[in-house]
Structures are given as C-alpha cells and as structure tokens.
Amino acid sequence: MPRTQSARFRSVSGHELSHLLDIPALAEILDTTPRHVRRLVSEHRIPYLKCGHFVRFDPQDICRWLASTRVSSSDEKAGL
C-alpha cells in the first residue's frame, strides 16, 4: 500500500513535524521572552532543530532538557 504524502511528512527522524514549536511558542510555554529563548539557542544550551534558517523545538526534547536541568531542593537531597 503506497504511503500518502501526509504520512510521509508526519515523522522525520522520530520528530513529529506537526508538533514542533517555534521560538514564540516555546517562550510562552516557558513563561519567558523570545529573546531569552534565542539566547539559549545561540549558546547551545537548549536542544533545537534547524529547518533551513528556521529554528524549531521538539516538545519531547524540551521535556527531557527541563528534567535534566532541574535543581533538587534540599529536602530531596536529604531524602525527606
């Protein structure tokens, strides 16, 4: 059965294209400014994808990045 064009472009390298975020959308989710998100990209501190000159973010990559940058509280460190 031949694949339809929409199915062909739905997923590339495991990234759901319909769910990729742009800079303003990610800034809103993170409750920060687009300028701050662009700075994180320029400093390679956040996972991102390049589509030509466009920068996009995979929500799953962002969730993993947030989990990896989480700072534990002193109660969690003490095992309480």
Side-chain angles (χ1 to χ4, degrees):
M1 181 174 189
R3 294 173 64 179
T4 64
Q5 187 170 359
S6 62
R8 191 173 110 214
F9 292 109
R10 192 175 318 147
S11 179
V12 175
S13 300
H15 299 284
E16 293 293 322
L17 296 180
S18 63
H19 297 287
L20 294 178
L21 303 169
D22 61 4
I23 289 174
L26 182 60
E28 186 174 329
I29 290 169
L30 297 177
D31 194 26
T32 189
T33 63
R35 181 177 182 215
H36 181 71
V37 174
R38 284 192 297 272
R39 186 171 60 113
L40 292 173
V41 168
S42 71
E43 295 173 356
H44 300 280
R45 293 173 47 198
I46 191 168
Y48 64 93
L49 303 165
K50 289 284 286 191
C51 303
H53 67 278
F54 298 106
V55 175
R56 297 293 184 257
F57 304 91
D58 183 337
Q60 292 178 346
D61 288 346
I62 297 302
C63 287
R64 284 190 291 271
W65 172 74
L66 287 170
S68 71
T69 59
R70 185 174 188 276
V71 177
S72 300
S73 69
S74 57
D75 290 342
E76 290 175 347
K77 290 178 183 175
L80 300 176

